[in-house]
Amino acid sequence: MDSAVLKFPEAESMLHECHARQREACLRDPIPDVDRRREDLRQLKAMINDHREAIITAINEDFGSRSRYETLFADIISVTDGINDAIGNVKKWARTQKRHTDWTVYAGAKNRVIPQPLGCVGIIVPWNFPAFLSFGPLTAAFAAGNRAMVKMSENSRALSRLLMRISGDYFPPEKLAFFEETGEVGIQFSKIPFDLLFFTGSGATGRKVMASAAENLTPVVLELGGKSPAVIDPGYPMAKAVDRILFAKQFNAGQICVNVDYLFVHQDQLEEFIAEARRWTQAHLPDIHSEDYTAIIDDRSFQRLQATLQDARAKGGKVINLCDQQQPDSTTRKLPLHLVLDTTEDMMIRARETFGPILMVMTYNSPAEVIEYVQSRDRPLAFYPFSNDRALVEHYLEHIMSGGVSVNDALYHAAQHDLPFGGVGASGMGQYHGEEGFRTFSKMRPVFHQAAFSFMTLLQPPYGRFAERVYALMTWFKS
């Protein structure tokens, strides 16, 4: 049956049937060796490379207009680079680890930790970077030796259907299966008793996913979002800061969970910042209707962003369209890059993640003001301090908690394969990428090997004077 027309209960039946097949396959072959895992990773990379242009076209179709170069960088190159990293390191990651044994009590015994696959994992993918956020978790899952079911976003119909059509040429369904969101699929997907459920998306949906998974005690990794701040130190070159911040803010039309959501500029530099922002936009975004500028994903999101700007204006905020005379276009869903100043707590832009090409700008006098504001709110997914003062950067890092950090730039910590990626608090739980991703999708299984003779056999009931003396000595020695 064509999954494009699947509805409940057909979708539920197919999901559970696929899960049962994968579980059976796990029982037959619970721990694929390193060579098998490397081959799976090579096949994953081949699927991407063989269909690179088709993937780019499908993502462009889903967005209505998605910059080819943004797709190449974020959804193709970053993914294949991550797969190459996993192929080169999986043998090291999968090694059994020797651990310390307390010789005073367990002399002769040995401890070790064996990384083993969890089994069958579920991955729920958002629409903003649909290939990166499908294949990134899959890279970690396959490196760890798992099987996977992937549920795509309702806004990624073209890509979903492409991946469903081609994946069978590279993997049997008991290894990898993709599912399109056609209505209630996500609800049913999160109720499956996976060995791990990996979700990327909004905090509101993440809470629902976690609640569904809790019914089966399924462990979850939640990669959420939040309002990620940046701050420019007055001593940092303003033109450089603007170049890096606005590049990030316009990338994918701002629809990135780790994007700069709001910015602190020293009150003495606000006008300088605005002037530099205008110059940058005129140089780099001369025509938002070009193929280089990505559209807002759907009408609902476009209207939400328009409402955010209207709400700010109505409540006394200053809204600056940096793209001169270019206006928002509801037909193409192209939205110019905007700044919003003089915001107040009752504005929509203060209350929720913007997720679009709108940058809230706030002024400050001292780092303490920045720290107080950020720390009084949910912990963000990312934090971006711009400063050449190492002591100041460390001060911010000590006093502002976030999922990750890029210093003197934005976004790029999320593209580092040897750095863990993940949120904290309301911005998520768990982490992946590189070795941390391997561990997230593995059971780091502890194994204790008792020695031929165990000293503890001398300390069994009924307890007498000997045991009393030994336990007294152990208490003294361990205190």
Side-chain angles (χ1 to χ4, degrees):
M1 181 179 292
D2 183 358
S3 69
V5 297
L6 281 178
K7 297 294 181 182
F8 182 83
E10 290 88 350
E12 181 183 32
S13 176
M14 282 199 67
L15 289 170
H16 284 281
E17 180 182 347
C18 181
H19 180 253
R21 291 179 65 180
Q22 292 203 354
R23 290 292 300 159
E24 290 173 3
C26 288
L27 293 174
R28 292 195 305 270
D29 182 18
I31 307 178
D33 61 25
V34 168
D35 289 339
R36 176 71 261 170
R37 300 181 197 190
R38 283 175 169 162
E39 181 57 29
D40 288 338
L41 291 167
R42 292 188 187 100
Q43 285 292 95
L44 192 64
K45 185 171 69 169
M47 184 167 72
I48 298 167
N49 286 333
D50 292 349
H51 300 277
R52 183 185 303 120
E53 291 304 319
I55 291 171
I56 293 170
T57 298
I59 294 176
N60 183 69
E61 180 181 339
D62 287 328
F63 271 81
S65 177
R66 212 300 181 83
S67 168
R68 169 184 175 82
Y69 302 100
E70 291 179 355
T71 299
L72 273 171
F73 175 71
D75 281 296
I76 303 293
I77 297 171
S78 293
V79 170
T80 53
D81 190 38
I83 295 173
N84 289 336
D85 179 73
I87 291 171
N89 287 291
V90 65
K91 183 177 181 179
K92 177 180 68 176
W93 298 341
R95 287 174 184 160
T96 297
Q97 304 172 10
K98 293 182 179 179
R99 294 296 179 92
H100 170 74
T101 306
D102 184 353
W103 64 269
T104 62
V105 181
Y106 306 107
K110 295 180 181 180
N111 286 333
R112 58 182 175 142
V113 172
I114 308 173
Q116 293 184 335
L118 290 172
C120 176
V121 302
I123 300 171
I124 300 177
V125 183
W127 52 263
N128 58 329
F129 291 101
F132 179 80
L133 295 170
S134 301
F135 295 117
L138 277 173
T139 298
F142 284 180
N146 297 286
R147 300 166 190 276
M149 294 169 58
V150 183
K151 202 285 293 184
M152 303 295 289
S153 167
E154 62 183 358
N155 283 325
S156 299
R157 295 288 176 89
L159 181 63
S160 300
R161 293 170 184 177
L162 171 66
L163 296 179
M164 291 165 61
R165 178 168 55 81
I166 67 175
S167 63
D169 295 335
Y170 300 84
F171 299 99
E174 57 266 27
K175 179 65 180 184
L176 174 63
F178 287 90
F179 294 88
E180 179 185 1
E181 179 56 78
T182 58
E184 297 194 40
V185 175
I187 296 172
Q188 299 306 318
F189 193 90
S190 61
K191 293 180 179 179
I192 294 174
F194 290 111
D195 296 298
L196 176 72
L197 184 57
F198 189 101
F199 170 83
T200 305
S202 71
T205 305
R207 287 178 171 86
K208 295 176 182 178
V209 167
M210 190 172 185
S212 293
E215 294 296 321
N216 295 307
L217 295 181
T218 298
V220 297
V221 173
L222 299 179
E223 296 297 349
L224 308 177
K227 298 183 73 63
S228 297
V231 55
I232 304 175
D233 173 14
Y236 192 83
M238 181 60 73
K240 182 183 289 187
V242 168
D243 178 78
R244 296 176 179 182
I245 292 169
L246 291 193
F247 171 76
K249 196 60 187 174
Q250 64 78 44
F251 195 89
N252 206 40
Q255 300 166 114
I256 310 174
C257 60
V258 290
N259 214 325
V260 180
D261 190 272
Y262 62 101
L263 169 69
F264 283 99
V265 177
H266 194 274
Q267 66 173 7
D268 295 336
Q269 295 183 309
L270 180 59
E271 294 305 319
E272 181 186 0
F273 170 80
I274 295 171
E276 287 292 347
R278 289 187 186 279
R279 280 194 286 270
W280 187 92
T281 307
Q282 290 169 5
H284 296 281
L285 301 177
D287 180 12
I288 65 169
H289 295 289
S290 76
E291 294 180 352
D292 291 332
Y293 194 72
T294 296
I296 304 303
I297 187 64
D298 57 23
D299 290 333
R300 182 178 60 180
S301 297
F302 185 86
Q303 294 303 322
R304 175 184 59 79
L305 292 167
Q306 284 280 71
T308 299
L309 294 174
Q310 293 166 4
D311 175 75
R313 290 190 189 97
K315 294 175 179 175
K318 182 179 180 180
V319 177
I320 300 175
N321 182 345
L322 293 175
C323 297
D324 292 330
Q325 303 304 314
Q326 300 183 72
Q327 298 301 316
D329 189 331
S330 60
T331 302
T332 61
R333 301 194 306 278
K334 296 291 184 81
L335 186 70
L337 192 58
H338 283 75
L339 303 179
V340 179
L341 290 70
D342 302 329
T343 60
T344 56
E345 289 293 346
D346 62 338
M347 293 181 184
M348 292 169 58
I349 196 168
R350 285 279 192 104
R352 60 173 295 176
E353 183 179 2
T354 306
F355 221 71
I358 302 173
L359 179 62
M360 180 172 72
V361 182
M362 306 175 69
T363 58
Y364 75 102
N365 284 307
S366 69
E369 294 177 42
V370 176
I371 292 168
E372 181 181 1
Y373 183 88
V374 178
Q375 289 293 78
S376 67
R377 286 154 174 78
D378 287 340
R379 289 175 167 176
L381 184 55
F383 173 54
Y384 302 117
F386 286 77
S387 176
N388 290 323
D389 183 339
R390 292 185 179 180
L392 177 60
V393 170
E394 290 304 313
H395 182 72
Y396 277 131
L397 295 183
E398 289 174 3
H399 291 85
I400 293 178
M401 174 57 72
S402 67
V405 180
S406 286
V407 178
N408 296 336
D409 217 321
L411 308 183
Y412 292 123
H413 69 282
Q416 308 308 307
H417 304 306
D418 204 28
L419 285 180
F421 178 85
V424 58
S427 60
M429 63 178 68
Q431 55 191 10
Y432 72 121
H433 289 190
E435 186 171 3
E436 280 75 17
F438 172 87
R439 292 186 180 187
T440 288
F441 282 92
S442 298
K443 167 59 181 174
M444 304 302 290
R445 194 173 184 186
V447 179
F448 170 77
H449 289 262
Q450 183 60 279
F453 171 77
S454 172
F455 177 71
M456 296 303 295
T457 60
L458 303 178
L459 300 174
Q460 298 178 3
Y463 300 108
R465 184 174 300 176
F466 176 76
E468 182 176 346
R469 289 176 178 176
V470 170
Y471 278 119
L473 179 63
M474 289 171 64
T475 302
W476 173 84
F477 190 78
K478 297 296 184 180
S479 63

